[in-house]
Amino acid sequence: MHNSPKKLFVLLFVLLLSTVCWGAIITCSYDEQHPIVIKESSVQGPPKGSTIQASINGHALTVTFTENLGDVQIDITSASGGAVSYGHVWTPDSYIAYIPNTGSYVVTITLGNGDVYYGEFEVTD
């Protein structure tokens, strides 16, 4: 039996395309953003909570600032108060942190003027 190179190429292309599409479907089904409600903790100036957006996707926490709020401190603690991660971000920008363990957590956002916001979230496998 004689197979032409063109038929072989088409067969390989179809197999490759179906593999890529299947991988994209699997990736999308596990790629879910879960929004985190940001609340005021100690705010003296005009509220800025609406300019802070946070979400958890698996073990990845993303905090996005849609307005220039200056240098912002971000602290992540377990629900029992144990330190997990901390950092600074110059806004407007995003901060991404990897949370290694499942459990309940709190992200605390402190603005340069001392205003404090927080959000509670869960990391599950």
Side-chain angles (χ1 to χ4, degrees), residues 22-36:
W22 181 251
I25 290 169
I26 291 172
T27 301
C28 289
S29 66
Y30 290 106
D31 188 27
E32 295 183 30
Q33 297 283 340
H34 298 280
I36 299 169

Side-chain angles (χ1 to χ4, degrees), residues 99-122:
I99 313 298
N101 299 316
T102 59
S104 299
Y105 295 90
V106 177
V107 59
T108 304
I109 301 138
T110 306
L111 307 184
N113 67 358
D115 288 354
V116 179
Y117 298 85
Y118 73 98
E120 300 166 317
F121 62 98
E122 296 282 328

Side-chain angles (χ1 to χ4, degrees), residues 1-116:
M1 185 167 154
H2 176 64
N3 287 329
S4 72
K6 185 175 183 180
K7 286 183 183 180
L8 183 58
F9 175 76
V10 169
L11 178 62
L12 289 174
F13 180 75
V14 169
L15 287 173
L16 176 66
L17 184 60
S18 63
T19 301
V20 168
C21 289
W22 181 251
I25 290 169
I26 291 172
T27 301
C28 289
S29 66
Y30 290 106
D31 188 27
E32 295 183 30
Q33 297 283 340
H34 298 280
I36 299 169
V37 176
I38 299 299
K39 303 171 187 173
E40 297 176 4
S41 177
S42 172
V43 177
Q44 298 169 18
K48 298 292 185 179
S50 64
T51 67
I52 305 168
Q53 301 167 352
S55 64
I56 188 75
N57 182 358
H59 289 261
L61 169 70
T62 303
V63 182
T64 302
F65 300 90
T66 60
E67 185 178 301
N68 184 353
L69 302 175
D71 182 25
V72 174
Q73 167 86 28
I74 298 177
D75 296 295
I76 304 164
T77 57
S78 65
S80 61
V84 175
S85 178
Y86 65 92
H88 285 268
V89 63
W90 281 95
T91 61
D93 204 348
S94 294
Y95 178 85
I96 300 173
Y98 178 77
I99 313 298
N101 299 316
T102 59
S104 299
Y105 295 90
V106 177
V107 59
T108 304
I109 301 138
T110 306
L111 307 184
N113 67 358
D115 288 354
V116 179

